[in-house]
Amino acid sequence: MSHGKLREEKTCLNCGHYVEERFCPHCGQENIESRQPFYFLFTHFIEDFTHYDGQFWRTIHYLFTRPGILTKEYLAGKRQLYVAPVKLYIFISFLTFFLPNILPHAKEEAEKPSHIKKETKAKNQKDISKDIVKDLQKGGVMSNETANATQKALDTLKIEDGKEKTELFDSTFDPKEASIMHAYSMKQYDSILAKDDTGIYTLMRPIAGKVFELKEDGYSKNQIWEKYKENFIHTIPKALFVYLPIFAFFLWLFHNKKKWWYFDHGIFTLHYFSFLLLAILVFIVGEKIASFLPANSLLTLLYILACLGLGLYMTIYFFVAHHRVYETKKRISILKGSVLFIVNYIGLLLMFLVLMYLSFIMLH
C-alpha cells in the first residue's frame, strides 16, 4: 500500500466502478490522486517490493536463511506472502548491477609505472655487479683487462625483471607489469607470434590487441583490469539469466517427469539463482568495506573468514534446498545433488570462461 493522497471522488479512474475505501473492489486499483510529488516515483518503486507488510523482508530472510522453503511455499500455492520469483530475481539483479557503482572504494596508493620500476631495479642490479667487479679487481682476483671487459658487458646487458620469478601469464595479468606476453607493443607481439609454435600467442592475440588499443587511448594496465572487472560484474546477472533454463533443464532430466513439471524446476532455479546473486552482492559490498580496513588487521582477518564461510554456505545451500524441495531420501538427494552440482558447475564454468573472454574483447 502506497502513501499517495486519496481522491475525494469515489469513482475508479481505471474501470469506473464505485470505490468505498482505498482500493477498487472490481479491478484492485488504488484510488489515489493521479498527480503526485516527484519523489513518489521512487517511494512507489520501493513500496512495490517492500509492501510495508514485510513481504519483501520475509522473502529475503527465507531466501538467505531457509534454503528451499520459498520454492516449497510457492509450489504449494502460498504466493501472496512472498515476492514473486521473477520479480525477486529482477530486483536482486538490479541491485547487483547498480549498488557497486554507487559504493565508494578506498583509493590505493599510486604505483610507479612498471617500466620505471624495471629500469630502477635493473640499474641497482648493475651497480651491485659493478661493485663486485671492482672489489675483485682491487683484490687482484681479476685483471684490469678482464675487469674492463666485464664492466662494458654489464653496461650493455639488458636485465629483464621478473623473468625468473614470474610466469608468462602472471606477468601478463599483473597490473604492475607493462608487458603483455612479454611484448610491449602489438608489433613486438606479432613478431613473437610468428616464432611461436604452441598456439598460446594466437589464442591471446585478441586480448593483447585490446590491451594495446586501450593503452593507446591513455589507459594504464591497472585501469584496464579495473574496467574489465567492473564490466564482468555487470554481466554476471545476464549470464545467470541465460543459463537459468539450462539449469532447470538438468533438474528436469534428473527427476520424475510426471510429478515435477519443467515449471517447478524453473521456480527452484529462480530462487537459487536469486540467492547466488544476493551472495555475490554481499561479497561485493564486503570487498568495498574491506578496502577501507587497515591491512593485516583483525578486522581484515574476520572479513576473510566471513568470505570463506559464505563461500562454503553457497555450496551447502544447493544440497539443502534440493533435499527440501524434492523430498527424496538423503542418500538419493545427495547423489543427485552431487551430479547436478558437478554438471552445472562445469556448465557455469564454461559459460563464465566465454563471458570473461567476450567481456574483455567488448571493452571500450
Side-chain angles (χ1 to χ4, degrees):
M1 182 178 71
S2 71
H3 287 176
K5 185 180 178 182
L6 285 173
R7 295 173 61 244
E8 294 181 0
E9 293 83 359
K10 297 296 183 180
T11 303
C12 178
L13 292 173
N14 184 56
C15 64
H17 278 69
Y18 181 74
V19 183
E20 293 184 0
E21 298 180 357
R22 194 174 189 93
F23 295 93
C24 174
H26 183 260
C27 69
Q29 178 167 294
E30 194 173 10
N31 189 34
I32 58 175
E33 294 288 350
S34 56
R35 288 186 175 181
Q36 300 287 345
F38 181 73
Y39 67 83
F40 178 79
L41 295 173
F42 302 97
T43 57
H44 183 69
F45 172 77
I46 295 171
E47 289 167 6
D48 194 37
F49 285 97
T50 59
H51 281 192
Y52 283 106
D53 57 359
Q55 185 194 55
F56 174 76
W57 299 113
R58 186 188 302 111
T59 303
I60 294 297
H61 172 67
Y62 276 41
L63 178 69
F64 206 81
T65 63
R66 304 185 66 182
I69 294 297
L70 279 181
T71 306
K72 285 195 71 173
E73 295 279 87
Y74 187 88
L75 296 178
K78 299 177 182 179
R79 303 179 181 182
Q80 287 299 317
L81 294 172
Y82 312 100
V83 177
V86 175
K87 200 175 188 180
L88 178 67
Y89 180 84
I90 292 172
F91 181 65
I92 296 177
S93 297
F94 170 76
L95 285 181
T96 307
F97 176 83
F98 178 71
L99 202 57
N101 292 329
I102 62 173
L103 290 176
H105 196 286
K107 293 182 179 179
E108 296 181 358
E109 188 177 343
E111 292 283 346
K112 288 183 178 180
S114 57
H115 68 276
I116 295 176
K117 294 169 74 176
K118 283 188 175 187
E119 288 172 4
T120 303
K121 188 172 181 180
K123 186 178 180 181
N124 292 336
Q125 289 176 339
K126 288 179 183 179
D127 291 339
I128 292 169
S129 300
K130 287 179 179 180
D131 291 338
I132 293 171
V133 171
K134 287 179 181 178
D135 291 337
L136 292 173
Q137 185 181 3
K138 287 178 182 178
V141 178
M142 187 178 287
S143 66
N144 291 336
E145 292 182 359
T146 305
N148 291 334
T150 303
Q151 293 284 11
K152 288 180 181 179
L154 286 171
D155 289 336
T156 57
L157 181 63
K158 182 180 179 181
I159 301 175
E160 294 181 3
D161 178 40
K163 191 172 182 180
E164 295 179 357
K165 64 179 181 179
T166 58
E167 297 294 333
L168 187 63
F169 285 103
D170 290 337
S171 61
T172 298
F173 294 104
D174 185 354
K176 300 174 185 177
E177 295 288 336
S179 65
I180 300 295
M181 304 291 283
H182 292 169
Y184 293 88
S185 66
M186 202 62 210
K187 185 177 180 180
Q188 186 179 4
Y189 186 94
D190 287 333
S191 66
I192 299 173
L193 172 62
K195 301 174 184 177
D196 175 57
D197 55 358
T198 62
I200 296 175
Y201 280 85
T202 303
L203 182 66
M204 291 290 293
R205 193 183 188 283
I207 294 176
K210 177 58 68 173
V211 173
F212 288 126
E213 176 189 327
L214 290 172
K215 288 181 78 173
E216 287 178 2
D217 292 337
Y219 289 98
S220 67
K221 196 174 177 182
N222 188 56
Q223 289 174 323
I224 293 171
W225 296 135
E226 286 297 319
K227 190 179 180 69
Y228 166 65
K229 185 171 73 171
E230 181 182 334
N231 190 46
F232 179 71
I233 289 172
H234 288 169
T235 53
I236 288 176
K238 300 173 189 175
L240 287 177
F241 188 77
V242 170
Y243 193 77
L244 196 152
I246 302 172
F247 192 98
F249 174 74
F250 284 126
L251 286 170
W252 178 80
L253 282 179
F254 280 81
H255 293 93
N256 191 321
K257 312 295 185 298
K258 293 180 180 179
K259 183 179 179 180
W260 301 102
W261 291 14
Y262 186 79
F263 170 84
D264 303 331
H265 304 307
I267 299 300
F268 177 89
T269 307
L270 279 168
H271 282 141
Y272 179 56
F273 278 26
S274 295
F275 163 76
L276 290 179
L277 282 175
L278 194 61
I280 291 169
L281 182 61
V282 172
F283 273 123
I284 294 170
V285 173
E287 191 270 336
K288 297 281 186 180
I289 295 172
S291 67
F292 291 95
L293 300 177
N296 303 320
S297 67
L298 179 60
L299 290 174
T300 305
L301 177 62
L302 291 175
Y303 164 71
I304 294 170
L305 292 175
C307 287
L308 292 174
L310 181 57
L312 180 62
Y313 182 62
M314 289 173 70
T315 304
I316 297 173
Y317 186 98
F318 173 77
F319 291 94
V320 176
H322 180 266
H323 177 66
R324 279 181 177 171
V325 172
Y326 294 99
E327 297 177 339
T328 53
K329 294 180 180 179
K330 281 190 176 181
R331 290 183 180 180
I332 297 174
S333 179
I334 292 172
L335 179 62
K336 284 185 177 181
S338 299
V339 175
L340 282 166
F341 189 84
I342 293 169
V343 169
N344 283 295
Y345 178 80
I346 294 171
L348 280 169
L349 182 62
L350 292 173
M351 172 165 281
F352 276 113
L353 286 173
V354 173
L355 176 66
M356 288 170 67
Y357 187 81
L358 293 177
S359 296
F360 195 88
I361 299 302
M362 294 171 67
L363 277 178
H364 58 276

